[in-house]
Amino acid sequence: MHALGTLEELPQAYRDELTGQNLVPLWPNMRAVLPPNIPSRRTQALNWNYDAVRPLLLQAGELTPMEKAERRVLVLANPGHGLGNMQATPSIYMGLQLILPGETAPNHRHTPNAVRIIVEGEGAYTTVDGEPCRMERGDLILTPAGKWHEHHHEGSGPIVWLDVLDLPLMYQLEGSWAMEGVPQQQTLPRDKSFAEYSAAGVVPSINFQRTETKAPMLRYPWVRTRACLVEMAEHYREDLLRIDYVNPETGASLFPSIGFGALMLRPGETIRLPRRTTACIYHIVEGQGRMSVDGGEALGWREKDTLSAPGYTDITFSNASGSEPAFLITADEAPLHRYLGIF
Ligand SMILES: [Fe+2]
């Protein structure tokens, strides 16, 4: 591509006249927004090391009571997007949220879709539109756009989870807002929706209410996902051990914006992920190893760490253990890229 005219080549008086009319010449900026062959990407490959973040999160528990925070969260902000913009990737917000024993995060709802991935602690539950959902290590708990949700913690130690939201996208669309609510009545049995969809290929009969397909299952227990990956490893000798989380009624991604998945690395295994357009985040549920992006310097990771990587890259993951498997939960913008026809 040949070089185009610059802003400086235009007479100042002409530029001032354009500005006065709220006009901008395209050609000086065109290569920046339509770069040749590959998009510009601000998402940096990095690791939010849990050992470094955890003490700061616990300190937040001492510094800020729940009534002053509502959601006591440290946002995992990718510096490539500017820390204040609270973006892990272009469309994904991530935050580590802390709830101390006996605390409640008050009922609210909002337009951004949210998933929480439980990082540590026991005894907490999230009530979503009247359904209490247990929160155990590695579980995914869904609160799709518009659903009421509040968090309770009846356990003895702190509970921490990773919030994953399409907040940056909703904000850019000028569609992000929230509403406070009164404490919820638990009108439904605990983990009702998980019970209904707890076996693959089996759905509740038509006698049940099956009108709500936006997110018919609210809790995706990690033990089931892990068991599936281990079972796959029994049967696959070399293939990538990877699953997608889907809506059990439709097979669609959990949200139109964010796709969730999980990966297993066999002991000692190095995998090269298929090159994709979308940026991705990786939360380490078990194991330790290294991630390398486009052959760059390898980032070490271990259990409870969370990593990011830009799209259009070659990504490799290595399991450092020769005896134990490693497990990762992934989140990316693939559903959105598919919808837009760019995946
Ligand atoms: Fe929320």
Side-chain angles (χ1 to χ4, degrees):
M1 285 189 182
H2 65 278
L4 300 175
T6 66
L7 207 54
E8 292 69 33
E9 289 168 6
L10 298 170
Q12 187 60 50
Y14 177 69
R15 286 158 60 183
D16 292 346
E17 214 169 327
L18 291 180
T19 303
Q21 296 300 321
N22 299 315
L23 296 169
V24 173
L26 172 62
W27 58 97
N29 302 306
M30 197 165 78
R31 297 281 191 250
V33 293
L34 289 168
N37 305 322
I38 190 162
S40 54
R41 289 142 299 153
R42 286 177 293 173
T43 306
Q44 294 177 7
L46 59 96
N47 181 8
W48 288 272
N49 180 271
Y50 192 66
D51 282 345
V53 176
R54 188 177 188 276
L56 297 169
L57 193 56
L58 291 178
Q59 214 177 331
E62 294 163 17
L63 295 169
T64 309
M66 194 56 104
E67 52 279 15
K68 286 273 187 84
E70 269 185 36
R71 279 355 187 217
R72 194 191 289 114
V73 176
L74 293 181
V75 178
L76 309 188
N78 199 300
H81 292 283
L83 290 182
N85 291 321
M86 301 195 291
Q87 290 163 281
T89 72
S91 297
I92 298 175
Y93 156 105
M94 283 196 298
L96 281 166
Q97 179 159 177
L98 168 73
I99 300 207
L100 296 169
E103 285 185 339
T104 298
N107 191 29
H108 74 177
R109 62 177 180 167
H110 39 69
T111 49
N113 295 284
V115 159
R116 47 206 56 77
I117 302 169
I118 317 310
V119 178
E120 71 162 287
E122 284 172 6
Y125 62 93
T126 293
T127 304
V128 186
D129 273 2
E131 180 180 333
C133 298
R134 257 183 302 161
M135 306 174 88
E136 293 175 353
R137 173 71 183 130
D139 290 357
L140 264 58
I141 311 286
L142 276 59
T143 50
K147 284 198 181 277
W148 292 105
H149 53 283
E150 64 186 11
H151 313 295
H152 298 265
H153 185 24
E154 296 170 348
S156 53
I159 184 146
V160 177
W161 63 76
L162 181 69
D163 288 313
V164 183
L165 281 77
D166 53 14
L167 176 64
L169 176 70
M170 288 292 189
Y171 184 75
Q172 284 300 320
L173 293 172
E174 300 183 353
S176 180
W177 57 277
M179 187 187 280
E180 288 179 13
V182 296
Q184 289 190 48
Q185 300 294 317
Q186 291 172 15
T187 52
L188 299 169
R190 181 166 283 209
D191 291 327
K192 167 188 174 287
S193 63
F194 166 65
E196 290 168 357
Y197 293 94
S198 57
V202 176
V203 296
S205 88
I206 201 72
N207 294 332
F208 274 66
Q209 272 190 315
R210 283 174 58 194
T211 48
E212 173 69 77
T213 55
K214 195 171 175 184
M217 186 162 117
L218 298 171
R219 173 173 176 239
Y220 290 70
W222 172 248
V223 288
R224 297 300 182 100
T225 304
R226 190 188 192 282
C228 174
L229 288 163
V230 169
E231 181 77 18
M232 284 166 68
E234 297 278 317
H235 297 273
Y236 298 7
R237 288 289 158 230
E238 291 171 1
D239 305 74
L240 200 58
L241 299 168
R242 184 178 210 168
I243 59 94
D244 290 333
Y245 287 94
V246 297
N247 176 323
E249 288 279 359
T250 65
S253 62
L254 298 187
F255 299 142
S257 48
I258 309 176
F260 291 83
L263 280 165
M264 172 177 159
L265 300 180
R266 300 170 179 90
E269 186 178 41
T270 294
I271 58 168
R272 182 174 167 171
L273 298 176
R275 200 173 162 88
R276 306 204 304 172
T277 54
T278 172
C280 191
I281 62 173
Y282 306 90
H283 175 72
I284 314 300
V285 186
E286 285 178 46
Q288 53 187 307
R290 299 177 91 72
M291 178 183 82
S292 172
V293 176
D294 277 345
E297 192 187 348
L299 290 169
W301 47 260
R302 50 172 302 180
E303 193 176 309
K304 299 184 171 65
D305 288 356
T306 305
L307 300 96
S308 64
Y312 291 80
T313 52
D314 287 315
I315 298 171
T316 58
F317 272 90
S318 302
N319 182 354
S321 170
S323 57
E324 300 298 326
F327 295 90
L328 293 68
I329 293 175
T330 65
D332 61 37
E333 296 155 346
L336 203 53
H337 282 216
R338 285 198 178 90
Y339 182 72
L340 296 171
I342 62 167
F343 185 73

